[in-house]
Amino acid sequence: MIKVLDRLLLFLYTLIIGISVVFFLTASFGWVPIETSGNFVRNLYYEVSTAYPAIAIGLFVLLVSLRFFYVSVRRGRGQVPSIDQRTDFGDIRISLETVENLALKSAGRVRGVKDMKAKVSVTDAGLDIVIRAVVDGESSIPDLSEEMQRSVKGHIEEITGIPVAGVSVFVANVMQSQTFKSRVE
C-alpha cells in the first residue's frame, strides 16, 4: 500500500514540477507577457481564489519533498535473501549466507583446498552453488573438484533439507608450495 502511495505521490510531484518548469521556461524566453506575469503575482498577494490553491500546491510539494527526503536517507529495511520452507510446525527461513557458510565449511574439509568463496542461488530445481577455490597443486584437480562437489551437495542437503541442483567448482589458481633451499658454504 505504501509503495502505491509513494508512486502516486511521485507522479503528482513530477507533474507539478514539470508544469512549473514549463511555466518558468516560457516566462524566461519572454513568451509570456510581463503584464500577465505581473497580474499573476499581484493575484497571489490580493486574491484569495489564487492564493489558496498556490498555498495548497506549495504545501503539497513541500510535504512530498520531505517524504522523498526521508525515504532516501532512512536505513534500508530490506529482506535478507533467504530460502523459505513450510513445515507442520511453522515456517523456516534459512539465509543464503548460512548456506554459503555451510558450503565453505564442507568444501574446506577436502584436503588440498586452500582458499574458497561460495555463491548460492535458488532455482526451480533447488540450490545452485558455485565454489571458487584455490588448490595446493599437489592433488588431481578433477578428483579434488569431484570430492568437493560430493561433500558440499551431501552436507547442504543433510543440514538444510533443501535439494541441491548442482555444485560448480571453479579452480581459480594453484597455490605455490614454498620450498626452502638450504645454502651450504
Side-chain angles (χ1 to χ4, degrees):
M1 180 66 184
I2 298 225
K3 288 190 177 194
V4 172
L5 181 63
D6 282 342
R7 290 182 131 197
L8 178 64
L9 288 175
L10 182 61
F11 172 75
L12 292 174
Y13 185 76
T14 53
L15 187 65
I16 291 170
I17 296 296
I19 291 170
S20 301
V21 167
V22 168
F23 173 75
F24 285 117
L25 284 175
T26 55
S28 297
F29 283 116
W31 296 338
V32 176
I34 192 143
E35 294 82 23
T36 306
S37 299
N39 287 338
F40 178 73
V41 172
R42 191 175 315 106
N43 288 341
L44 280 177
Y45 280 101
Y46 300 115
E47 294 292 327
V48 175
S49 62
T50 306
Y52 282 3
I55 291 170
I57 291 171
L59 287 175
F60 174 77
V61 170
L62 177 66
L63 291 174
V64 172
S65 297
L66 291 174
R67 167 72 180 152
F68 289 151
F69 179 74
Y70 169 73
V71 167
S72 69
V73 297
R74 76 174 175 200
R75 284 215 173 260
R77 296 181 311 209
Q79 294 281 337
V80 174
S82 64
I83 303 156
D84 300 335
Q85 291 181 315
R86 180 167 294 268
T87 66
D88 295 337
F89 303 108
D91 295 334
I92 300 172
R93 292 184 65 209
I94 303 171
S95 72
L96 292 182
E97 184 179 1
T98 300
V99 178
E100 287 174 0
N101 288 333
L102 287 170
L104 290 173
K105 181 179 179 182
S106 176
R109 294 180 184 153
V110 176
R111 289 181 60 111
V113 179
K114 297 299 181 191
D115 188 26
M116 295 168 296
K117 290 181 183 174
K119 179 152 177 54
V120 177
S121 57
V122 181
T123 63
D124 291 337
L127 299 177
D128 191 25
I129 303 170
V130 177
I131 297 186
R132 182 184 185 279
V134 175
V135 297
D136 64 4
E138 313 249 334
S139 305
S140 166
I141 291 177
D143 293 342
L144 196 71
S145 299
E146 190 175 315
E147 187 178 347
M148 263 196 295
Q149 289 170 320
R150 217 179 5 256
S151 173
V152 169
K153 181 175 172 36
H155 188 68
I156 297 294
E157 288 179 341
E158 178 184 338
I159 298 294
T160 64
I162 302 168
V164 175
V167 178
S168 302
V169 176
F170 172 67
V171 178
N173 205 349
V174 175
M175 190 80 128
Q176 297 296 326
S177 61
Q178 296 182 356
T179 55
F180 298 102
K181 296 181 182 176
S182 61
R183 198 170 110 189
V184 180
E185 290 185 32

